[in-house]
Amino acid sequence: MTSYHGQISHSGGYCMLLGQSRLMFSTLLSWDARLDAVIASKRWDDAFALAKDFSLEIAVAVVGLSSDSTVRRSALQDRITQLLTAFISDAARKKTSLRDFVPLAKKMLVFCAEIHSMDTFFNHVMVFLQTIQVKDAAIYAIESALLDGTITSVPDTFIRELVELFQTPTRFNAVVSKNCLLYTSPSPRDS
């Protein structure tokens, strides 16, 4: 571990650390700039961990995050929604199969459950997943999360969709088949 003998800081978030034999420069970023930087570099595990720390109020250096709990929670929910949609969009750009979206959806479910923000998943993420037509993979992941206890309750509309997924062979097979790439539009029978 390096020890520093002094510190000089000035406006703009820059910090200069004075050591015995070297000089280090550092930039201090606000909480949202830190999250943006991790998302931009597509380090998804780090982005989820950082967002979780902010949500659970255990993060260090929360510069720019409001001390008012209502404002803070709203800002965090917006950023978490952006994180999850960026994560999904990145996966969709890779032309992932529907089956490959199941563990990604499960990862998002676990994340939302850990930060006590299932409403973000069910209200915002599911709408986005429907837009890019991978909602069935998320419905299948919901079933898995229910079975292993990750989540314990689901809104009624998704319970109905879960039943419909298992009752419609073409939709179900699209989720569990390795070779079924993302489809562009559901057949009239699946609507």
Side-chain angles (χ1 to χ4, degrees):
M1 178 165 199
T2 306
S3 64
Y4 294 97
H5 296 283
Q7 168 184 327
I8 302 170
S9 61
H10 52 88
S11 67
Y14 296 105
C15 180
M16 186 169 43
L17 302 172
L18 304 172
Q20 288 180 334
S21 61
R22 57 177 110 157
L23 180 65
M24 299 278 292
F25 291 94
S26 177
T27 304
L28 304 175
L29 299 174
S30 66
W31 74 275
D32 54 343
R34 288 171 57 197
L35 194 54
D36 284 342
V38 178
I39 292 171
S41 64
K42 297 182 182 180
R43 295 183 355 233
W44 300 116
D45 290 336
D46 293 339
F48 283 120
L50 186 58
K52 180 180 174 183
D53 288 351
F54 288 133
S55 294
L56 299 178
E57 298 179 2
I58 59 172
V60 293
V62 291
V63 174
L65 197 55
S66 175
S67 59
D68 180 358
S69 63
T70 305
V71 173
R72 181 177 56 245
R73 186 75 180 154
S74 176
L76 285 168
Q77 185 175 16
D78 291 344
R79 299 300 292 176
I80 288 169
T81 301
Q82 290 172 3
L83 164 63
L84 295 172
T85 54
F87 177 66
I88 299 163
S89 296
D90 184 53
R93 276 194 281 288
K94 295 175 183 173
K95 303 231 186 268
T96 310
S97 72
L98 233 103
R99 179 180 175 181
D100 293 337
F101 266 93
V102 174
L104 300 177
K106 178 86 180 274
K107 179 180 183 126
M108 291 184 294
L109 273 164
V110 169
F111 171 72
C112 288
E114 288 174 343
I115 64 170
H116 312 290
S117 188
M118 292 308 296
D119 57 321
T120 300
F121 183 83
F122 288 121
N123 295 332
H124 302 288
V125 174
M126 290 300 283
V127 170
F128 185 72
L129 290 170
Q130 184 169 359
T131 303
I132 64 168
Q133 299 176 338
V134 294
K135 187 176 181 181
D136 285 348
I139 298 293
Y140 191 76
I142 289 170
E143 187 250 357
S144 172
L146 283 167
L147 290 176
D148 68 18
T150 301
I151 59 174
T152 55
S153 64
V154 176
D156 292 343
T157 56
F158 295 108
I159 292 173
R160 187 173 55 251
E161 289 193 41
L162 185 60
V163 170
E164 289 172 2
L165 174 66
F166 283 94
Q167 289 180 340
T168 311
T170 55
R171 285 176 60 194
F172 181 75
N173 289 336
V175 173
V176 297
S177 172
K178 259 187 179 176
N179 301 323
C180 184
L181 290 177
L182 297 176
Y183 50 88
T184 55
S185 63
S187 67
R189 181 175 171 222
D190 292 341
S191 319

